[in-house]
Amino acid sequence: MRKSIILISGVNGEIGHGLVRSLYDQGIRNMIGIDLSMADDFVLERTEDCLIGNILDRNLLERINAQYQIESIYHMAALLSTRAEFSPVIAHEVNVDGTLNLLDLAMEQAQSHGQTVKFFFPSSIAVYGIPNLEKKTSVGAIHEDDFRYPQTMYGCNKLYCESLGDYYSHYYKRLSAHDSSGLVDFRSLRFPGIISAQTLPAGGTSDYAPEMIHAAAKRQHYSCFVREDATIPFMTMSDAIRAIHLLMAAPQNALTQMVYNVKAFNPSAGEFLSIVKTYYPDADIDFIINDNRQAIIDSWPADINDDQARKDWGWSAKHDLDKAFSEYLMPEIRSRYEHN
Ligand code: AKB
């Protein structure tokens, strides 16, 4: 009998961390992580095992396939939008081939044990591409089917992987004698920028908001790389993790789509700084614009519509911008940096 597990790729990353924390708090003890480097103690203490390896390594995935019975996969490994622009081909390999490998593993598993494997895929507002700032301000909160013209390699990768998820869930090898539809149950959220109280992101373009608050708390200087009026949606890590759990727990027949927008608040970078300054009046933050990163933010929506997630599986964010600071970020961040 193979041991039944939950597989988490990119377990050392920001969402991986948040996910391990909350699954462990829910009593889940059969998590296996994979990441390129050794997991930190926090993750090691809460997972059954963490494998150091690459999701592009088919031998490693073969070993996992042979050793474990996979109930569900949370596929968090990815190269984010800024990093992907420096190495687009590598980003494509990790973001697309890596996802394909894990979808294939999910299908092999489901075919061998005969039970559906649930697959969570974090997509992103990067799948959207708004042609200019005038349009960005006039269109309002955009729906899942609007403006899917990504301008980054990462956005292209995420959009294509959403389609791969649909293919593996519904149309896999449809010419063969066996019907494989429903064996993989792919579910995805298009995340906005995520702000964690515990960790800092690496390689994203929405990173300016979390970098601002963490720098202020550490009493360090920070130069924000986008204009004060730059606006995209955000949410707290705790809401992001809640959204994953709600979506994964929803009955399949409640879901009217495979990919959902979720968001909580959408301050401009200047508004974000104003709130940071109410907590850290001496915060040493200026704006030195990186035009290329600014252009990426300009192409992302100022707001997204998450009505379908609300309707289908009861989504609503717990933290608006004020609560994000007062109830989530500040208590944790204060105790973290003020003791050091
Ligand atoms: C990034 O900035 O690349 C990510 C994202 C919005 O998906 N945080």
Side-chain angles (χ1 to χ4, degrees), residues 109-150:
Q109 281 273 323
Q111 285 174 334
S112 77
H113 58 59
Q115 274 159 34
T116 298
V117 174
K118 279 191 182 173
F119 194 105
F120 177 76
F121 179 70
S123 189
S124 162
I125 53 166
V127 302
Y128 300 114
I130 317 246
N132 54 56
L133 274 180
E134 203 188 342
K135 196 80 181 168
K136 173 161 169 155
T137 34
S138 65
V139 288
I142 69 174
H143 291 82
E144 281 88 346
D145 290 344
D146 298 336
F147 293 101
R148 285 173 304 173
Y149 309 111

Side-chain angles (χ1 to χ4, degrees), residues 80-82 124-125 154 191-193 203-207 300:
L80 298 185
S81 54
T82 290
S124 162
I125 53 166
Y154 171 74
F191 281 124
T205 316
S206 62
D207 296 3
W300 291 353

Side-chain angles (χ1 to χ4, degrees), residues 14-87:
E14 274 212 294
I15 310 186
H17 250 250
L19 197 59
V20 165
R21 174 192 298 267
S22 82
L23 287 171
Y24 185 86
D25 289 347
Q26 288 168 30
I28 308 279
R29 297 290 181 267
N30 61 341
M31 292 178 265
I32 301 285
I34 322 182
D35 212 307
L36 288 175
S37 55
M38 175 65 112
D40 60 26
D41 288 346
F42 179 89
V43 169
L44 286 174
E45 280 158 18
R46 288 165 177 78
T47 47
E48 174 153 335
D49 198 6
C50 275
L51 311 170
I52 302 175
N54 194 324
I55 50 170
L56 296 174
D57 178 354
R58 286 190 156 268
N59 289 331
L60 172 66
L61 298 184
E62 225 5 272
R63 285 206 304 279
I64 295 173
N65 190 33
Q67 197 173 341
Y68 297 110
Q69 169 155 333
I70 301 176
E71 292 165 24
S72 46
I73 298 179
Y74 293 82
H75 171 35
M76 303 301 162
L79 249 63
L80 298 185
S81 54
T82 290
R83 191 172 293 164
E85 288 312 299
F86 289 103
S87 320

Side-chain angles (χ1 to χ4, degrees), residues 33-249:
I34 322 182
D35 212 307
L36 288 175
S37 55
M38 175 65 112
D40 60 26
D41 288 346
F42 179 89
V43 169
L44 286 174
E45 280 158 18
R46 288 165 177 78
T47 47
E48 174 153 335
D49 198 6
C50 275
L51 311 170
I52 302 175
N54 194 324
I55 50 170
L56 296 174
D57 178 354
R58 286 190 156 268
N59 289 331
L60 172 66
L61 298 184
E62 225 5 272
R63 285 206 304 279
I64 295 173
N65 190 33
Q67 197 173 341
Y68 297 110
Q69 169 155 333
I70 301 176
E71 292 165 24
S72 46
I73 298 179
Y74 293 82
H75 171 35
M76 303 301 162
L79 249 63
L80 298 185
S81 54
T82 290
R83 191 172 293 164
E85 288 312 299
F86 289 103
S87 320
V89 173
I90 294 176
H92 188 279
E93 282 167 12
V94 174
N95 293 347
V96 174
D97 297 344
T99 304
L100 183 68
N101 287 349
L102 290 180
L103 281 166
D104 220 54
L105 174 62
M107 180 57 83
E108 274 197 45
Q109 281 273 323
Q111 285 174 334
S112 77
H113 58 59
Q115 274 159 34
T116 298
V117 174
K118 279 191 182 173
F119 194 105
F120 177 76
F121 179 70
S123 189
S124 162
I125 53 166
V127 302
Y128 300 114
I130 317 246
N132 54 56
L133 274 180
E134 203 188 342
K135 196 80 181 168
K136 173 161 169 155
T137 34
S138 65
V139 288
I142 69 174
H143 291 82
E144 281 88 346
D145 290 344
D146 298 336
F147 293 101
R148 285 173 304 173
Y149 309 111
Q151 295 181 11
T152 58
M153 175 52 93
Y154 171 74
C156 294
N157 298 161
K158 289 290 184 189
L159 187 57
Y160 174 62
C161 288
E162 291 176 3
S163 296
L164 279 180
D166 191 18
Y167 170 75
Y168 270 84
S169 289
H170 298 119
Y171 309 114
Y172 182 77
K173 287 194 179 169
R174 70 195 314 186
L175 300 184
S176 82
H178 302 287
D179 179 10
S180 301
S181 71
L183 284 178
V184 173
D185 179 359
F186 179 89
R187 302 177 181 205
S188 178
L189 295 173
R190 287 194 188 142
F191 281 124
I194 298 177
I195 309 174
S196 168
Q198 281 101 17
T199 51
L200 270 163
T205 316
S206 62
D207 296 3
Y208 58 89
E211 284 173 354
M212 227 188 258
I213 173 75
H214 283 264
K218 287 190 268 183
R219 318 275 165 198
Q220 287 174 354
H221 170 74
Y222 181 67
S223 292
C224 177
F225 55 82
V226 292
R227 291 187 314 265
E228 288 188 54
D229 67 317
T231 306
I232 56 166
F234 283 96
M235 72 196 326
T236 60
M237 180 61 79
S238 107
D239 268 334
I241 301 296
R242 269 187 57 245
I244 296 174
H245 292 319
L246 283 171
L247 175 65
M248 290 299 267

Side-chain angles (χ1 to χ4, degrees), residues 65 111 141 282 314 320 332:
N65 190 33
Q111 285 174 334
D282 301 330
D320 60 16
E332 176 81 26

